[in-house]
Amino acid sequence: MTNISLETLKEWSKLGHRNSFGESIIHLAREREDVVVVNADITTTARLVNFKNEFPDRIFNVGIAEQNLIGFSAGLAREGLMPFAVTVAAFVPMRCAEQMRMMLGYMNLNGRVVGIESGCRFGPLGNTHFAMDDIAVTRTIPNFTVISPSDPHQIYKTVFAVAEHQGPVHIRLTGAPGFPLLYPDDFDFEIGKAIEYRPGKDVAIITTGSVLSEGIRAAEILEKKGISTRVIDMHTLKPLDLNMLDSVFAENSLVVTVEEHSIIGGLGSAVASYKAGFANSPKQVMCSLGDSFKKIGNYAFHMKNAGLVAEDIAEKVLQNVD
Amino acid sequence: MEKNLLVEEIKDKTERMRRDAIEMGFSAGSEGAHFGPALSCMDMVATLFFGVMNYDPDNPEMPERDRFVLSKGHACLAYYAALIEAGYIPREMIPQFKGNNSILCGHPSKNVQYGIEVSSGSLGNGFPVACGMAKAAKFKGEAHQVYCIVGDGECNEGIIWEAALNAAKNKLDNLIVLVDINNFQLSGTTSEVMPINLDALWRAAGWEVLHIEDGNNVEEVLQILNEVKESDIEKPHVILTKTVKGKGISYMENNLKFHATSINEEQYRQAIADLDKAEAERKEQ
């Protein structure tokens, strides 16, 4: 894995997670001949045209057919290839959940399933195109690893890390073009090992995906009010980094989970279910997309309505901190 | 008429497979087994394993082996019986069918050591995997074939057609599918439940379509499989294979009641008697 220049990362940040992934997978394919891309008529939308130009024989478009996207990819994986199956997160895993369970999970194959535009980024397109439930689905499939990278650099690191991983992986991509570059410098990335983005003694904000940037801003707001706030980037949702959670439960007095996902089955649920085993663990506040279909509006509108912007997260902390 | 030695050998093996299938199903007791759909495809599974496919039980992941995917995974009795006969699964494991901690699950669960290529049984889902395996062979420049058995009822599933279109687009001429047309599915005949013109649909999907009029006749199955193997048509091949559900056991034939059920001691003895009789008649010919 070669390091990516700061200039390139800034460009990817500007262009968004689709380009970040579409370019990262080219870098991986240059190093590994077993890597192929399968997509469900999303070559242009998912910014895979450059991949197609460089590796025309290593990208397969199965048409608008998400079940077969996974089925076909499972067959490729069974024969030792490493397919990255890509489509819009609204349709994967939900349209092909059973195929992910039976073909990738049950057979423990090295399929990599990538959902672009997860959460409610598709704003005005409406609920048909939101993925508020994808983490909930794949977390329940045995053998699956679930990763939601937080910035362009982490998307790059994720793509290379999953290539070395045994077993199926779901990569959930969030954030709009212009999503912040949070890791400008080289950093260690390990599947299942959360990153303490900044230390803090009082409150711990745990986020997953691109909403990490709001968690960081919230921490800055709280620091100004005298509340020492730790920020944890829980990029891997399964397996959860339990060591990191042990440390949070021992050292922080309030846990705040922040995710662009349903309040059911995502990061908040995962943290809460682990926390349930601790007699004296801190209180948890969950910031999420709740449990409702949304009205029409742009991405910022949805994030604001759900209370997923820094000011709202900070306010929620202030309401709950002793 | 001079007997074809290979055909006779396959028939010998098919007879033993039917006996092993009955033994397995009976040993499962009240758990029962999918007898009917296994017996309908028994002869085609046997012909593939003992007349057509290249494989080595001592080297189950041999790269050049032909692949076999039983998409209609509920017919696993036929698959396990073939794997026993081929030497992948020891015959002593027969009583373990559907047992606790057994590898002989009620639907195939991938197990390389015992020759089970792919987990299947969620209908529709083995076939697309077979398509991906055929594509991988093309991609890697490997010469082996991928064989897949799909049920006629299974063709109700949408994913079958998603995968069929994609296989044709990719010109997977190394992929040979047999549709086991036994005319029954869970709640009735296939024509009652969901009438489908399979010939027209597979053709429209871009496949070469062949027919076997008697899919329980090893000779005919072998002949068509040999022909299709030599075919230079650059399309995936589907063989619409007419069979009899429950074939070989008098009271099970064309009897939906024995799609999936347990059998009692008397039914077991009758099944064995039916197989004894058929074997004696064949040996007399």
Side-chain angles (χ1 to χ4, degrees), chain A residues 9-26:
Chain A
L9 289 171
K10 283 180 177 169
E11 181 69 10
W12 289 359
S13 162
K14 197 167 74 185
L15 293 170
H17 67 245
R18 304 187 206 178
N19 296 70
S20 303
F21 172 76
E23 295 301 314
S24 294
I25 194 74
I26 293 173

Side-chain angles (χ1 to χ4, degrees), chain A residues 4-136:
Chain A
I4 295 292
S5 72
L6 183 59
E7 200 174 70
T8 302
L9 289 171
K10 283 180 177 169
E11 181 69 10
W12 289 359
S13 162
K14 197 167 74 185
L15 293 170
H17 67 245
R18 304 187 206 178
N19 296 70
S20 303
F21 172 76
E23 295 301 314
S24 294
I25 194 74
I26 293 173
H27 286 270
L28 180 67
R30 284 177 189 152
E31 291 188 19
R32 292 185 62 132
E33 290 184 351
D34 57 346
V35 168
V36 295
V37 169
V38 189
N39 77 97
D41 196 24
I42 206 89
T43 317
T44 309
T45 308
R47 310 291 188 262
L48 295 166
V49 173
N50 289 346
F51 185 98
K52 188 179 177 181
N53 289 338
E54 187 163 337
F55 304 107
D57 300 329
R58 290 165 66 180
I59 180 164
F60 315 125
N61 185 346
V62 299
I64 310 164
E66 291 78 14
Q67 296 178 67
N68 188 45
L69 171 75
I70 304 303
F72 190 62
S73 297
L76 297 170
R78 177 65 183 86
E79 294 293 337
L81 298 175
M82 184 169 291
F84 281 73
V86 187
T87 196
V88 172
F91 315 122
V92 55
M94 274 301 240
R95 183 76 65 93
C96 48
E98 200 228 346
Q99 284 71 33
M100 289 173 70
R101 174 167 58 110
M102 295 324 304
M103 301 181 189
L104 297 181
Y106 190 32
M107 288 199 274
N108 201 16
L109 296 175
N110 287 339
R112 284 77 182 88
V113 182
V114 182
I116 63 166
E117 303 296 351
S118 190
C120 52
R121 216 296 280 173
F122 267 142
L125 295 186
N127 292 284
T128 52
H129 284 63
F130 295 168
M132 301 186 284
D133 39 33
D134 45 353
I135 299 172

Side-chain angles (χ1 to χ4, degrees), chain A residues 19 22-23 47 80 82 92 97 103 111 164 166 198 207 210 254 257 277 282 291 304 320:
Chain A
N19 296 70
E23 295 301 314
R47 310 291 188 262
M82 184 169 291
V92 55
M103 301 181 189
E164 299 298 323
Q166 287 301 308
R198 56 175 285 166
T207 79
S210 57
L254 181 69
T257 50
D291 176 29
K304 178 68 188 159
N320 284 280

Side-chain angles (χ1 to χ4, degrees), chain A residues 242-289:
Chain A
L242 302 183
N243 289 331
M244 182 65 85
L245 291 179
D246 288 345
S247 135
V248 165
F249 299 160
E251 296 163 25
N252 300 104
S253 56
L254 181 69
V255 180
V256 184
T257 50
V258 182
E259 60 191 314
E260 196 180 332
H261 186 274
S262 163
I263 196 167
I264 299 167
L267 173 68
S269 291
V271 169
S273 68
Y274 181 60
K275 205 165 74 68
F278 290 77
N280 297 305
S281 60
K283 180 179 177 180
Q284 180 181 348
V285 172
M286 295 191 198
C287 301
S288 72
L289 292 174

